[in-house]
Amino acid sequence: MNKQPIEGFSKLSKEGKIEWLVNEFLQGEKKAIETLKQYWNTDEALQQLHDEFSENTVSNFYMPFGLAPNFLVNNRLYTIPMAIEESSVVAAASKAAKFWLNRGGFKTEVLSTTKLGHVHFMFTGNKEKLTSFFEKHLREKLIEETNEITHNMRARGGGIMSIELVDKTDELEDYFQLKASFETVDSMGANFINSCLEQFAKTMENEMAMATEFTAEEKDSLQVVMCILSNYTPDCIVRAEVSCAVEELKDGNVLAEEFVEKFTRAVRIAEIEPYRATTHNKGIMNGCDAVVIATGNDFRAVEACAHTYAAKDGKYSSLTHCEVKDGIFRFWIDLPIAVGTIGGLTSLHPLVKLALDILGKPNAKELMGFIAVAGLAQNFGALRSLVTTGIQKGHMKMHLMNILNQLEATEEEKHYFVNYFKDKTVSHHAVINEFCRLRGVNHPNEIKKAN
Ligand code: MEV
């Protein structure tokens, strides 16, 4: 039977929403109710807090919260909290941290912290009049009429940094922008920026309606399309880097020079080949996102910005770079990241608060540094494996645990399998075969839950 749309879903209770879901989409399967409820927190206040982060909430979706210790960042030792479901990421970050621990560690530097937003509008009147009106009158008025909104931010050292009128009519007929830059200090600043922009639009509409220099037709032609911050923040950027003498890079049986040559080539390939750059940068974001999520920030914004930045020169390229100069190997990332350590989830979500405490209550600039460090470490770990042992060795060891968990293996069996695969290649097929043999069955379907 065709399903009918539902009216007023959001007004149903949580139980009501689940009942509707189970009846409409899960063939009345009561087990689904248990699955959803087993993730409810017994602490009702904590559960309500999580319910209210979003809408139409029916359960919680857990993610592993892991720790990557031994990160020497700007000469201080840190443990980096990471929220991520993908196996090997935390292990690779920890391994890279340890590798650099005795080679000077990671250095970070925030290069700038400016964020941007636009009022996108259409205007068909005289451009010179518009420019002159903006320069002589409107810019000042925009600042004045947002004074109330910017008051607290200015007290914290932030606010509106600049406002320009941008003529985009050569790309889209009649299209102009008010392009504003902001300093939002320790907050991500999305609400602040959007509130300012919406006030700019109102002020511009009012001021133009009253201006004597425009004709009635010109006034009528003004149309605000939208007011919104840009998640592309190329001027809110942090650099993280590692460096050491080439001879310190000897890696197991691989000679230092050989390792550096292979590693450098791998980075060059990512710089020139978008297919590789996408995977290379995905690995970087494994590290970045895990810290962004653990610290309650918006990983979609960070992702969007990173990838636009990766394409800033007209071709999608690597976010990391390396060089060898005078016998010194240097590997670095320049990453635009707009994150906050106040506002949003940062003071609401108990694990986010804890993650920030683990990092020593960083300010936004310091957090930018940790995120970039996690991305750089991740990329170093991935490239180091890729150009030496290959990625599957480490990966499949972690994957082994996932397969064994799916098979509901006992702890004893897990020990057995870790030993068994010490000198063999892990594959799904090989694990299943050995598991069947061990349990004395011919087919995985015959595997029974161990007591
Ligand atoms: C997997 O999530 C990430 C890697 O593919 C990154 C890379 O290839 O550099 C291992």
Side-chain angles (χ1 to χ4, degrees):
M1 207 173 75
N2 275 345
K3 301 200 184 311
Q4 296 301 312
I6 180 168
E7 285 291 331
F9 180 70
S10 65
K11 299 202 174 60
L12 294 178
S13 66
K14 198 155 87 165
E15 301 272 3
K17 289 186 182 86
I18 293 176
E19 196 182 308
W20 173 85
L21 174 80
V22 168
N23 291 335
E24 285 292 308
F25 288 92
L26 301 168
Q27 298 78 43
E29 179 54 76
K30 295 283 184 271
K31 180 118 188 13
I33 303 176
E34 269 171 51
T35 304
L36 289 168
K37 285 192 175 176
Q38 72 185 342
Y39 289 101
W40 286 9
N41 203 294
T42 46
D43 177 338
E44 280 180 24
L46 188 64
Q47 185 51 57
Q48 191 181 344
L49 180 77
H50 282 74
D51 287 346
E52 290 172 3
F53 287 150
S54 179
E55 305 81 34
N56 294 344
T57 320
V58 289
S59 189
N60 306 304
F61 191 92
Y62 287 3
M63 269 233 227
F65 180 86
L67 299 175
N70 297 322
F71 268 96
L72 187 65
V73 181
N74 300 332
N75 302 320
R76 277 187 62 184
L77 204 54
Y78 292 92
T79 288
I80 298 192
M82 301 176 87
I84 185 155
E85 87 301 345
E86 185 176 331
S87 57
S88 297
V89 172
V90 178
S94 309
K95 216 168 151 191
K98 216 159 172 197
F99 183 92
W100 285 103
L101 184 61
N102 301 318
R103 292 171 173 87
F106 296 78
K107 301 277 181 289
T108 67
E109 186 190 354
V110 171
L111 305 175
S112 56
T113 55
T114 307
K115 291 159 189 162
L116 299 169
H118 302 85
V119 176
H120 303 270
F121 69 96
M122 314 310 273
F123 177 73
T124 58
N126 183 296
K127 283 185 197 181
E128 284 72 35
K129 270 202 250 173
L130 181 66
T131 309
S132 153
F133 174 72
F134 174 78
E135 293 297 340
K136 289 196 184 126
H137 174 73
L138 186 60
R139 182 190 274 125
E140 207 178 309
K141 201 77 187 161
L142 295 175
I143 301 279
E144 191 185 305
E145 294 206 350
T146 41
N147 266 342
E148 217 166 287
I149 303 172
T150 60
H151 180 267
N152 287 347
M153 191 60 87
R154 279 185 283 123
R156 286 173 23 218
I160 301 165
M161 300 289 111
S162 67
I163 315 175
E164 317 165 40
L165 173 71
V166 185
D167 180 349
K168 286 274 178 178
T169 53
D170 54 344
E171 288 174 68
L172 181 68
E173 206 178 347
D174 307 329
Y175 171 39
F176 292 84
Q177 302 170 342
L178 291 178
K179 177 182 179 188
S181 67
F182 301 86
E183 171 55 60
T184 60
V185 201
D186 287 328
S187 62
M188 196 265 190
N191 283 333
F192 169 73
I193 294 175
N194 289 335
S195 300
C196 288
L197 294 169
E198 289 188 4
Q199 182 58 51
F200 289 167
K202 276 187 209 143
T203 303
M204 178 169 67
E205 283 169 338
N206 291 342
E207 293 301 310
M208 281 191 53
M210 288 186 306
T212 49
E213 51 267 65
F214 296 109
T215 64
E217 205 181 327
E218 282 175 321
K219 289 180 184 186
D220 279 351
S221 80
L222 173 71
Q223 255 183 44
V224 171
V225 180
M226 58 190 158
C227 310
I228 188 75
L229 92 169
S230 173
N231 284 121
Y232 183 41
T233 55
D235 295 320
C236 185
I237 196 157
V238 62
R239 173 170 296 170
E241 69 175 77
V242 286
S243 64
C244 70
V246 168
E247 62 262 24
E248 287 183 64
L249 285 168
K250 183 175 163 4
D251 196 11
N253 294 330
V254 186
L255 295 175
E257 288 73 16
E258 187 189 338
F259 173 74
V260 169
E261 192 183 337
K262 285 182 168 176
F263 190 95
T264 309
R265 265 197 215 131
V267 175
R268 293 285 169 269
I269 291 171
E271 283 170 343
I272 60 117
E273 170 53 76
Y275 281 99
R276 173 56 202 151
T278 306
T279 317
H280 177 98
N281 290 344
K282 187 273 181 189
I284 293 171
M285 299 318 286
N286 278 345
C288 296
D289 284 347
V291 184
V292 173
I293 294 171
T295 57
N297 277 282
D298 180 346
F299 69 93
R300 286 85 54 206
V302 172
E303 282 275 345
C305 184
H307 297 297
T308 309
Y309 189 74
K312 70 181 188 320
D313 297 324
K315 183 175 169 185
Y316 190 84
S317 177
S318 169
L319 287 164
T320 54
H321 306 282
C322 73
E323 66 173 19
V324 178
K325 230 181 183 170
D326 303 327
I328 302 292
F329 167 85
R330 188 171 155 252
F331 178 49
W332 75 95
I333 184 166
D334 285 343
L335 195 66
I337 322 174
V339 286
T341 52
I342 60 169
L345 273 196
T346 56
S347 54
L348 291 176
H349 195 302
L351 272 177
V352 167
K353 270 198 268 183
L354 186 74
L356 290 167
D357 284 349
I358 293 170
L359 289 171
K361 298 189 180 14
N363 59 28
K365 284 184 179 177
E366 288 161 339
L367 181 58
M368 287 165 76
F370 291 125
I371 294 166
V373 161
L376 188 71
Q378 206 58 48
N379 190 226
F380 180 81
L383 294 183
R384 185 179 172 211
S385 298
L386 285 168
V387 302
T388 54
T389 56
I391 205 78
Q392 283 310 86
K393 192 165 173 243
H395 239 86
M396 291 311 286
K397 284 261 145 73
M398 301 299 286
H399 192 47
L400 172 64
M401 278 304 142
N402 285 344
I403 303 172
L404 291 172
N405 283 333
Q406 271 165 21
L407 292 168
E408 300 187 343
T410 63
E411 285 309 305
E412 210 177 316
E413 284 166 337
K414 286 182 190 170
H415 279 298
Y416 169 82
F417 272 89
V418 169
N419 249 330
Y420 178 83
F421 279 107
K422 261 206 171 115
D423 53 357
K424 295 180 191 64
T425 307
V426 179
S427 74
H428 194 262
H429 182 71
V431 179
I432 299 284
N433 272 357
E434 182 57 15
F435 199 79
C436 286
R437 197 196 61 75
L438 209 65
R439 291 270 181 110
V441 296
N442 292 320
H443 192 274
N445 287 349
E446 295 166 32
I447 296 170
K448 295 211 171 58
K449 204 175 162 86
N451 296 319

